[in-house]
Amino acid sequence: MRRADGIRLAIGTLSMKISDRDVLLVIDVQNDFCTGGALAVPGGEKVVPAINRIAQKFANVVLTQDWHPGDHVSFAANHPGKQPFQTIELDYGTQVLWPTHCVQGTAGAEFHRDLDLTRASLVVRKGFRRGIDSYSALFENDKKTPTGLLGYLRERELKTVFVAGLALDFCVRFSAEDARKAGFEVVVIEDACRGIDLNGSVAATHRSFKEVGISTISLEAFL
């Protein structure tokens, strides 16, 4: 059966009905986004048990990985006089300046040690071009440079994208919204995400999800 918000539920239960046309997209569960990391999301590592449990129900799991060069344009350290969380203007718009994080080949860029990687059929690395940041798993921040994930989803004939990971109000949000714009049904698993909440960005994310037709559910739907 189908609820008003478009999410499929098994008849007579609260269990989510997952098909082979569904994919779990796990965003950036990396050491630098967890406690003790260079850009720690509050409680970031707490998404790991939830994601591991949910992933068992999916035939299709995709992981993304922030993978920046050390001289990346989004790092405040590469802009003399600038501090983390200030902004600059680039050709593609306003860019938040971040603490140096997820540098290629470093421990901070590695997936959290407890994240189960065995079910992943694809790992998408993003943000590796020096001059452009990449929040979304599908497109870099210019909204036109593709990561290749969209082609993968379409060629595999996947229909519904379930999104979890870090951070809710940046990379999860951009990934979910780009997938929705591309024509997929999109579901964000809220308690398998954590947010940074920069200047009200979590509330803005929830408003945007409602406006563009992205559903949100809790882990309970999978139990």
Side-chain angles (χ1 to χ4, degrees):
M1 100 182 174
R2 190 176 290 269
R3 294 190 323 199
D5 59 7
I7 304 304
R8 295 189 305 278
L9 295 176
I11 294 174
T13 76
L14 292 175
S15 260
M16 185 63 62
K17 185 179 180 182
I18 301 300
S19 80
D20 288 345
R21 291 288 174 260
D22 297 332
V23 58
L24 177 63
L25 179 58
V26 179
I27 305 294
D28 298 356
V29 184
Q30 296 166 258
N31 291 329
D32 268 344
F33 296 128
C34 297
T35 297
L39 183 50
V41 179
E45 66 281 354
K46 293 180 180 178
V47 306
V48 174
I51 290 170
N52 287 345
R53 187 167 186 176
I54 295 165
Q56 298 300 315
K57 298 183 180 292
F58 283 83
N60 306 293
V61 178
V62 173
L63 308 179
T64 72
Q65 189 175 23
D66 246 13
W67 196 249
H68 298 307
D71 61 350
H72 197 259
V73 70
S74 73
F75 294 165
N78 294 326
H79 300 271
K82 293 290 187 180
Q83 298 298 317
F85 308 110
Q86 291 182 332
T87 61
I88 58 172
E89 294 300 318
L90 297 175
D91 291 345
Y92 56 84
T94 301
Q95 172 67 52
V96 176
L97 294 177
W98 303 107
T100 301
H101 67 280
C102 296
V103 174
Q104 298 167 0
T106 66
E110 293 175 3
F111 291 113
H112 190 279
R113 65 182 180 277
D114 294 331
L115 183 68
D116 182 5
L117 308 180
T118 59
R119 299 190 66 80
S121 55
L122 179 70
V123 175
V124 177
R125 285 177 168 169
K126 59 189 181 66
F128 55 82
R129 294 178 174 85
R130 179 200 170 277
I132 185 169
D133 209 1
S134 185
Y135 298 156
S136 170
L138 283 77
F139 292 95
E140 298 197 343
N141 283 9
D142 62 358
K143 302 293 187 183
K144 61 185 180 182
T145 302
T147 65
L149 178 57
L150 180 57
Y152 175 87
L153 297 175
R154 287 176 172 165
E155 287 193 7
R156 292 285 310 279
E157 298 183 345
L158 302 173
K159 302 298 183 186
T160 303
V161 180
F162 290 79
V163 191
L166 305 171
L168 173 69
D169 40 342
F170 284 92
C171 295
V172 169
R173 174 183 176 175
F174 277 64
S175 299
E177 291 180 356
D178 279 351
R180 184 71 184 127
K181 290 173 188 173
F184 295 93
E185 286 190 55
V186 181
V187 183
V188 172
I189 309 164
E190 274 203 277
D191 45 3
C193 302
R194 292 293 186 279
I196 296 174
D197 205 13
L198 187 61
N199 299 320
S201 52
V202 167
T205 296
H206 285 123
R207 289 194 299 270
S208 181
F209 285 172
K210 289 180 181 179
E211 290 169 2
V212 301
I214 293 171
S215 301
T216 57
I217 60 171
S218 72
L219 178 63
E220 291 181 354
F222 293 90
L223 301 181

